[in-house]
CSV table of all heavy atoms in Angstrom, one decimal:
chain,number,residue,atom,x,y,z
X,1,MET,N,31.1,29.6,-55.9
X,1,MET,CA,30.3,30.7,-55.2
X,1,MET,C,28.8,30.4,-55.5
X,1,MET,O,28.0,30.7,-54.6
X,1,MET,CB,30.7,32.0,-55.8
X,1,MET,CG,32.1,32.5,-55.4
X,1,MET,SD,32.3,32.6,-53.6
X,1,MET,CE,31.0,33.7,-53.2
X,2,MET,N,28.4,29.9,-56.6
X,2,MET,CA,27.1,29.5,-56.9
X,2,MET,C,26.6,28.5,-55.8
X,2,MET,O,25.5,28.6,-55.3
X,2,MET,CB,26.9,29.0,-58.3
X,2,MET,CG,25.5,28.6,-58.6
X,2,MET,SD,25.3,27.7,-60.2
X,2,MET,CE,26.1,26.1,-59.7
X,3,ASP,N,27.5,27.5,-55.6
X,3,ASP,CA,27.1,26.5,-54.6
X,3,ASP,C,27.0,27.1,-53.2
X,3,ASP,O,26.1,26.7,-52.5
X,3,ASP,CB,28.2,25.4,-54.6
X,3,ASP,CG,27.9,24.3,-53.6
X,3,ASP,OD1,26.8,23.7,-53.7
X,3,ASP,OD2,28.7,24.0,-52.7
X,4,PHE,N,27.9,28.0,-52.8
X,4,PHE,CA,27.8,28.7,-51.5
X,4,PHE,C,26.4,29.4,-51.4
X,4,PHE,O,25.7,29.2,-50.4
X,4,PHE,CB,28.9,29.7,-51.4
X,4,PHE,CG,30.1,29.2,-50.7
X,4,PHE,CD1,30.6,27.9,-51.0
X,4,PHE,CD2,30.9,30.0,-49.9
X,4,PHE,CE1,31.7,27.4,-50.4
X,4,PHE,CE2,32.0,29.5,-49.3
X,4,PHE,CZ,32.4,28.2,-49.5
X,5,LEU,N,26.1,30.2,-52.4
X,5,LEU,CA,24.8,30.9,-52.4
X,5,LEU,C,23.6,30.0,-52.4
X,5,LEU,O,22.7,30.2,-51.6
X,5,LEU,CB,24.7,31.8,-53.6
X,5,LEU,CG,25.6,33.1,-53.6
X,5,LEU,CD1,25.7,33.7,-55.0
X,5,LEU,CD2,25.0,34.1,-52.6
X,6,PHE,N,23.7,28.9,-53.2
X,6,PHE,CA,22.5,28.0,-53.2
X,6,PHE,C,22.4,27.3,-52.0
X,6,PHE,O,21.3,27.1,-51.4
X,6,PHE,CB,22.7,27.1,-54.4
X,6,PHE,CG,21.4,26.4,-54.8
X,6,PHE,CD1,20.5,27.1,-55.7
X,6,PHE,CD2,21.0,25.2,-54.4
X,6,PHE,CE1,19.3,26.6,-56.0
X,6,PHE,CE2,19.8,24.6,-54.7
X,6,PHE,CZ,18.9,25.3,-55.6
X,7,ALA,N,23.5,26.8,-51.4
X,7,ALA,CA,23.4,26.0,-50.2
X,7,ALA,C,22.9,26.8,-49.0
X,7,ALA,O,22.2,26.4,-48.1
X,7,ALA,CB,24.8,25.4,-49.8
X,8,SER,N,23.3,28.1,-49.0
X,8,SER,CA,22.9,29.0,-47.8
X,8,SER,C,21.5,29.5,-48.0
X,8,SER,O,20.8,29.7,-47.0
X,8,SER,CB,23.8,30.2,-47.7
X,8,SER,OG,23.6,31.1,-48.8
X,9,GLN,N,21.0,29.6,-49.2
X,9,GLN,CA,19.7,30.3,-49.4
X,9,GLN,C,18.5,29.5,-48.8
X,9,GLN,O,17.9,30.0,-47.9
X,9,GLN,CB,19.5,30.5,-50.9
X,9,GLN,CG,18.3,31.3,-51.2
X,9,GLN,CD,18.2,32.6,-50.5
X,9,GLN,OE1,19.1,33.4,-50.6
X,9,GLN,NE2,17.2,32.7,-49.6
X,10,ASP,N,18.3,28.3,-49.3
X,10,ASP,CA,17.1,27.6,-48.8
X,10,ASP,C,17.3,27.1,-47.4
X,10,ASP,O,16.3,27.1,-46.6
X,10,ASP,CB,16.7,26.5,-49.8
X,10,ASP,CG,16.1,27.0,-51.1
X,10,ASP,OD1,15.0,27.6,-51.0
X,10,ASP,OD2,16.7,26.9,-52.1
X,11,ALA,N,18.5,26.7,-47.1
X,11,ALA,CA,18.7,26.1,-45.8
X,11,ALA,C,18.5,27.2,-44.7
X,11,ALA,O,17.8,27.0,-43.7
X,11,ALA,CB,20.1,25.6,-45.7
X,12,SER,N,19.1,28.4,-44.9
X,12,SER,CA,19.0,29.4,-43.9
X,12,SER,C,17.6,30.0,-43.9
X,12,SER,O,17.1,30.4,-42.8
X,12,SER,CB,20.0,30.6,-44.2
X,12,SER,OG,21.3,30.1,-44.0
X,13,THR,N,17.0,30.2,-45.1
X,13,THR,CA,15.6,30.7,-45.1
X,13,THR,C,14.7,29.8,-44.3
X,13,THR,O,13.8,30.3,-43.5
X,13,THR,CB,15.1,30.8,-46.5
X,13,THR,OG1,15.9,31.7,-47.3
X,13,THR,CG2,13.7,31.3,-46.6
X,14,ALA,N,14.8,28.5,-44.4
X,14,ALA,CA,14.0,27.5,-43.7
X,14,ALA,C,14.2,27.7,-42.2
X,14,ALA,O,13.3,27.7,-41.4
X,14,ALA,CB,14.3,26.1,-44.1
X,15,SER,N,15.5,27.8,-41.8
X,15,SER,CA,15.8,27.9,-40.3
X,15,SER,C,15.3,29.2,-39.8
X,15,SER,O,14.8,29.2,-38.6
X,15,SER,CB,17.3,27.7,-40.1
X,15,SER,OG,17.8,26.4,-40.4
X,16,LEU,N,15.4,30.3,-40.5
X,16,LEU,CA,15.0,31.6,-40.0
X,16,LEU,C,13.4,31.5,-39.9
X,16,LEU,O,12.9,32.1,-38.9
X,16,LEU,CB,15.4,32.7,-41.0
X,16,LEU,CG,16.9,33.0,-41.0
X,16,LEU,CD1,17.2,33.9,-42.3
X,16,LEU,CD2,17.3,33.7,-39.8
X,17,THR,N,12.8,30.9,-40.8
X,17,THR,CA,11.3,30.8,-40.7
X,17,THR,C,10.9,29.9,-39.5
X,17,THR,O,9.9,30.3,-38.8
X,17,THR,CB,10.7,30.2,-42.0
X,17,THR,OG1,11.2,30.9,-43.1
X,17,THR,CG2,9.2,30.2,-42.0
X,18,TRP,N,11.6,28.8,-39.3
X,18,TRP,CA,11.3,28.0,-38.1
X,18,TRP,C,11.5,28.8,-36.8
X,18,TRP,O,10.7,28.7,-35.9
X,18,TRP,CB,12.2,26.8,-38.1
X,18,TRP,CG,11.6,25.7,-38.9
X,18,TRP,CD1,12.1,25.2,-40.1
X,18,TRP,CD2,10.4,24.9,-38.6
X,18,TRP,NE1,11.3,24.2,-40.6
X,18,TRP,CE2,10.3,24.0,-39.7
X,18,TRP,CE3,9.5,24.9,-37.6
X,18,TRP,CZ2,9.2,23.1,-39.7
X,18,TRP,CZ3,8.4,24.0,-37.6
X,18,TRP,CH2,8.3,23.1,-38.7
X,19,LEU,N,12.6,29.6,-36.7
X,19,LEU,CA,12.9,30.4,-35.5
X,19,LEU,C,11.7,31.3,-35.3
X,19,LEU,O,11.3,31.5,-34.1
X,19,LEU,CB,14.2,31.2,-35.7
X,19,LEU,CG,15.5,30.5,-35.3
X,19,LEU,CD1,16.6,31.4,-35.5
X,19,LEU,CD2,15.4,30.1,-33.8
X,20,THR,N,11.3,32.0,-36.3
X,20,THR,CA,10.2,33.0,-36.2
X,20,THR,C,8.9,32.3,-35.7
X,20,THR,O,8.3,32.9,-34.7
X,20,THR,CB,9.9,33.6,-37.6
X,20,THR,OG1,11.1,34.2,-38.1
X,20,THR,CG2,8.8,34.7,-37.5
X,21,SER,N,8.6,31.2,-36.2
X,21,SER,CA,7.3,30.5,-35.7
X,21,SER,C,7.5,29.9,-34.4
X,21,SER,O,6.6,30.0,-33.5
X,21,SER,CB,6.9,29.5,-36.7
X,21,SER,OG,7.9,28.4,-36.9
X,22,LEU,N,8.7,29.3,-34.1
X,22,LEU,CA,8.9,28.6,-32.8
X,22,LEU,C,8.9,29.6,-31.7
X,22,LEU,O,8.4,29.4,-30.6
X,22,LEU,CB,10.2,27.9,-32.8
X,22,LEU,CG,10.2,26.6,-33.6
X,22,LEU,CD1,11.6,26.0,-33.8
X,22,LEU,CD2,9.3,25.5,-32.9
X,23,MET,N,9.5,30.8,-31.9
X,23,MET,CA,9.5,31.8,-30.8
X,23,MET,C,8.1,32.4,-30.6
X,23,MET,O,7.7,32.6,-29.4
X,23,MET,CB,10.5,33.0,-31.2
X,23,MET,CG,11.9,32.6,-31.2
X,23,MET,SD,12.5,32.1,-29.5
X,23,MET,CE,13.2,30.5,-29.9
X,24,ALA,N,7.3,32.5,-31.6
X,24,ALA,CA,6.0,33.0,-31.5
X,24,ALA,C,5.1,32.0,-30.7
X,24,ALA,O,4.3,32.4,-29.9
X,24,ALA,CB,5.3,33.3,-32.8
X,25,ASP,N,5.4,30.7,-30.9
X,25,ASP,CA,4.6,29.6,-30.3
X,25,ASP,C,5.1,29.3,-28.9
X,25,ASP,O,4.4,28.6,-28.1
X,25,ASP,CB,4.7,28.4,-31.1
X,25,ASP,CG,3.9,28.5,-32.4
X,25,ASP,OD1,3.1,29.5,-32.6
X,25,ASP,OD2,4.1,27.7,-33.3
X,26,ASN,N,6.3,29.8,-28.5
X,26,ASN,CA,6.9,29.6,-27.2
X,26,ASN,C,7.3,30.9,-26.5
X,26,ASN,O,8.5,31.2,-26.4
X,26,ASN,CB,8.1,28.7,-27.4
X,26,ASN,CG,7.7,27.3,-27.8
X,26,ASN,OD1,7.4,26.4,-27.1
X,26,ASN,ND2,7.8,27.1,-29.2
X,27,PRO,N,6.3,31.6,-26.0
X,27,PRO,CA,6.6,33.0,-25.5
X,27,PRO,C,7.5,32.9,-24.3
X,27,PRO,O,8.3,33.9,-24.0
X,27,PRO,CB,5.2,33.5,-25.1
X,27,PRO,CG,4.3,32.3,-25.0
X,27,PRO,CD,4.9,31.4,-26.0
X,28,ASP,N,7.5,31.9,-23.5
X,28,ASP,CA,8.4,31.8,-22.3
X,28,ASP,C,9.9,31.7,-22.7
X,28,ASP,O,10.8,32.2,-22.1
X,28,ASP,CB,8.1,30.6,-21.4
X,28,ASP,CG,6.8,30.8,-20.7
X,28,ASP,OD1,6.3,31.9,-20.5
X,28,ASP,OD2,6.2,29.8,-20.2
X,29,ILE,N,10.1,31.0,-23.8
X,29,ILE,CA,11.5,30.9,-24.4
X,29,ILE,C,11.9,32.2,-24.9
X,29,ILE,O,13.0,32.7,-24.7
X,29,ILE,CB,11.5,29.8,-25.4
X,29,ILE,CG1,11.3,28.4,-24.8
X,29,ILE,CG2,12.9,29.8,-26.2
X,29,ILE,CD1,11.2,27.2,-25.8
X,30,LEU,N,11.0,32.9,-25.7
X,30,LEU,CA,11.3,34.2,-26.2
X,30,LEU,C,11.6,35.2,-25.1
X,30,LEU,O,12.5,36.0,-25.2
X,30,LEU,CB,10.2,34.7,-27.1
X,30,LEU,CG,10.3,36.0,-27.7
X,30,LEU,CD1,11.6,36.1,-28.6
X,30,LEU,CD2,9.1,36.4,-28.6
X,31,ARG,N,10.9,35.1,-24.0
X,31,ARG,CA,11.1,36.0,-22.9
X,31,ARG,C,12.5,35.8,-22.4
X,31,ARG,O,13.2,36.8,-22.1
X,31,ARG,CB,10.1,35.7,-21.8
X,31,ARG,CG,10.4,36.5,-20.5
X,31,ARG,CD,9.4,36.1,-19.4
X,31,ARG,NE,9.4,34.6,-19.1
X,31,ARG,CZ,10.3,34.0,-18.5
X,31,ARG,NH1,11.4,34.7,-17.9
X,31,ARG,NH2,10.2,32.7,-18.3
X,32,ARG,N,13.0,34.6,-22.3
X,32,ARG,CA,14.4,34.4,-21.8
X,32,ARG,C,15.4,34.9,-22.8
X,32,ARG,O,16.5,35.4,-22.4
X,32,ARG,CB,14.6,32.9,-21.5
X,32,ARG,CG,13.7,32.3,-20.4
X,32,ARG,CD,13.8,30.8,-20.3
X,32,ARG,NE,15.1,30.3,-20.0
X,32,ARG,CZ,15.4,29.0,-20.0
X,32,ARG,NH1,14.5,28.1,-20.3
X,32,ARG,NH2,16.7,28.7,-19.7
X,33,VAL,N,15.1,34.8,-24.1
X,33,VAL,CA,16.0,35.4,-25.1
X,33,VAL,C,16.1,36.9,-24.9
X,33,VAL,O,17.2,37.5,-24.9
X,33,VAL,CB,15.6,35.1,-26.5
X,33,VAL,CG1,16.4,35.8,-27.5
X,33,VAL,CG2,15.6,33.6,-26.8
X,34,ARG,N,15.0,37.5,-24.7
X,34,ARG,CA,15.0,39.0,-24.5
X,34,ARG,C,15.7,39.4,-23.2
X,34,ARG,O,16.4,40.4,-23.2
X,34,ARG,CB,13.5,39.5,-24.4
X,34,ARG,CG,12.8,39.5,-25.8
X,34,ARG,CD,11.4,39.9,-25.7
X,34,ARG,NE,10.9,40.1,-27.1
X,34,ARG,CZ,9.7,39.8,-27.5
X,34,ARG,NH1,8.8,39.2,-26.6
X,34,ARG,NH2,9.3,40.0,-28.7
X,35,GLU,N,15.5,38.6,-22.1
X,35,GLU,CA,16.3,38.9,-20.9
X,35,GLU,C,17.8,38.8,-21.1
X,35,GLU,O,18.5,39.7,-20.6
X,35,GLU,CB,15.8,37.9,-19.8
X,35,GLU,CG,14.4,38.1,-19.3
X,35,GLU,CD,14.0,37.0,-18.3
X,35,GLU,OE1,14.7,36.1,-18.2
X,35,GLU,OE2,12.9,37.2,-17.7
X,36,GLU,N,18.2,37.8,-21.8
X,36,GLU,CA,19.7,37.7,-22.1
X,36,GLU,C,20.1,38.9,-23.0
X,36,GLU,O,21.2,39.5,-22.7
X,36,GLU,CB,20.0,36.4,-22.8
X,36,GLU,CG,21.5,36.2,-23.1
X,36,GLU,CD,21.8,34.9,-23.8
X,36,GLU,OE1,21.5,34.7,-25.0
X,36,GLU,OE2,22.3,34.0,-23.0
X,37,GLN,N,19.3,39.3,-24.0
X,37,GLN,CA,19.7,40.4,-24.8
X,37,GLN,C,19.8,41.7,-24.0
X,37,GLN,O,20.7,42.5,-24.3
X,37,GLN,CB,18.8,40.5,-26.0
X,37,GLN,CG,18.9,39.3,-27.0
X,37,GLN,CD,20.3,39.1,-27.6
X,37,GLN,OE1,20.9,40.1,-28.0
X,37,GLN,NE2,20.7,37.9,-27.6
X,38,ARG,N,18.8,41.9,-23.1
X,38,ARG,CA,18.8,43.2,-22.4
X,38,ARG,C,20.0,43.2,-21.4
X,38,ARG,O,20.6,44.3,-21.2
X,38,ARG,CB,17.5,43.3,-21.5
X,38,ARG,CG,16.3,43.8,-22.3
X,38,ARG,CD,15.2,44.2,-21.4
X,38,ARG,NE,14.6,43.0,-20.7
X,38,ARG,CZ,13.6,42.3,-21.1
X,38,ARG,NH1,13.0,42.7,-22.3
X,38,ARG,NH2,13.1,41.3,-20.5
X,39,MET,N,20.5,42.1,-21.0
X,39,MET,CA,21.7,42.0,-20.1
X,39,MET,C,22.9,42.3,-20.9
X,39,MET,O,23.8,43.1,-20.5
X,39,MET,CB,21.8,40.6,-19.5
X,39,MET,CG,23.0,40.5,-18.6
X,39,MET,SD,23.2,38.8,-17.9
X,39,MET,CE,23.6,37.9,-19.4
X,40,LEU,N,23.0,41.8,-22.1
X,40,LEU,CA,24.2,42.0,-22.9
X,40,LEU,C,24.2,43.3,-23.7
X,40,LEU,O,25.2,43.9,-24.0
X,40,LEU,CB,24.4,40.8,-23.9
X,40,LEU,CG,24.6,39.4,-23.3
X,40,LEU,CD1,24.6,38.3,-24.4
X,40,LEU,CD2,26.0,39.4,-22.6
X,41,ARG,N,23.0,43.7,-24.1
X,41,ARG,CA,22.8,44.9,-25.0
X,41,ARG,C,21.7,45.8,-24.4
X,41,ARG,O,20.6,45.9,-25.0
X,41,ARG,CB,22.5,44.5,-26.4
X,41,ARG,CG,23.6,43.6,-27.1
X,41,ARG,CD,23.3,43.4,-28.6
X,41,ARG,NE,22.0,42.8,-28.8
X,41,ARG,CZ,21.0,43.3,-29.6
X,41,ARG,NH1,21.2,44.4,-30.2
X,41,ARG,NH2,19.9,42.6,-29.8
X,42,PRO,N,21.9,46.4,-23.2
X,42,PRO,CA,20.9,47.1,-22.5
X,42,PRO,C,20.3,48.3,-23.3
X,42,PRO,O,19.1,48.7,-23.1
X,42,PRO,CB,21.6,47.6,-21.3
X,42,PRO,CG,23.0,47.6,-21.5
X,42,PRO,CD,23.2,46.4,-22.5
X,43,HIS,N,21.1,48.8,-24.3
X,43,HIS,CA,20.6,50.0,-25.1
X,43,HIS,C,20.5,49.6,-26.5
X,43,HIS,O,20.5,50.4,-27.4
X,43,HIS,CB,21.6,51.1,-24.9
X,43,HIS,CG,21.8,51.6,-23.5
X,43,HIS,ND1,20.8,52.1,-22.7
X,43,HIS,CD2,22.9,51.5,-22.7
X,43,HIS,CE1,21.3,52.3,-21.5
X,43,HIS,NE2,22.5,52.0,-21.5
X,44,GLY,N,20.3,48.3,-26.8
X,44,GLY,CA,20.1,47.8,-28.2
X,44,GLY,C,21.4,48.0,-29.0
X,44,GLY,O,21.3,48.3,-30.2
X,45,GLU,N,22.5,47.9,-28.4
X,45,GLU,CA,23.8,48.1,-29.1
X,45,GLU,C,23.9,47.2,-30.3
X,45,GLU,O,23.4,46.1,-30.4
X,45,GLU,CB,25.0,47.8,-28.2
X,45,GLU,CG,25.2,48.8,-27.1
X,45,GLU,CD,24.3,48.6,-25.9
X,45,GLU,OE1,23.4,47.7,-25.9
X,45,GLU,OE2,24.5,49.3,-24.8
X,46,PRO,N,24.6,47.7,-31.4
X,46,PRO,CA,24.9,46.8,-32.6
X,46,PRO,C,25.6,45.6,-32.2
X,46,PRO,O,26.3,45.5,-31.2
X,46,PRO,CB,25.8,47.7,-33.4
X,46,PRO,CG,25.5,49.1,-33.0
X,46,PRO,CD,25.2,49.0,-31.5
X,47,LEU,N,25.4,44.5,-33.0
X,47,LEU,CA,26.0,43.3,-32.7
X,47,LEU,C,27.5,43.3,-33.0
X,47,LEU,O,27.9,43.9,-34.0
X,47,LEU,CB,25.3,42.1,-33.5
X,47,LEU,CG,23.8,41.9,-33.3
X,47,LEU,CD1,23.3,40.8,-34.2
X,47,LEU,CD2,23.5,41.7,-31.8
């Protein structure tokens, strides 16, 4: 379990940080993500 937690911690944190910066730097890509989400979850439904 320690290995699970350790393996997921830094790897996922890095990927989440990259997603945050990449979407901010690529507004056209983020717009397409939002369009897909509005189509699938028009009222912000839970995942």
Side-chain angles (χ1 to χ4, degrees):
M1 289 305 301
M2 179 189 70
D3 180 54
F4 268 39
L5 284 165
F6 200 83
S8 71
Q9 184 51 58
D10 286 297
S12 292
T13 300
S15 292
L16 291 167
T17 306
W18 276 110
L19 272 179
T20 304
S21 61
L22 286 169
M23 289 298 127
D25 292 345
N26 293 274
D28 288 342
I29 293 174
L30 178 57
R31 174 184 54 77
R32 292 171 63 186
V33 172
R34 286 178 170 141
E35 288 173 354
E36 179 176 77
Q37 293 302 315
R38 279 194 292 268
M39 180 183 69
L40 295 173
R41 302 186 299 127
H43 304 295
E45 289 83 354
L47 302 181

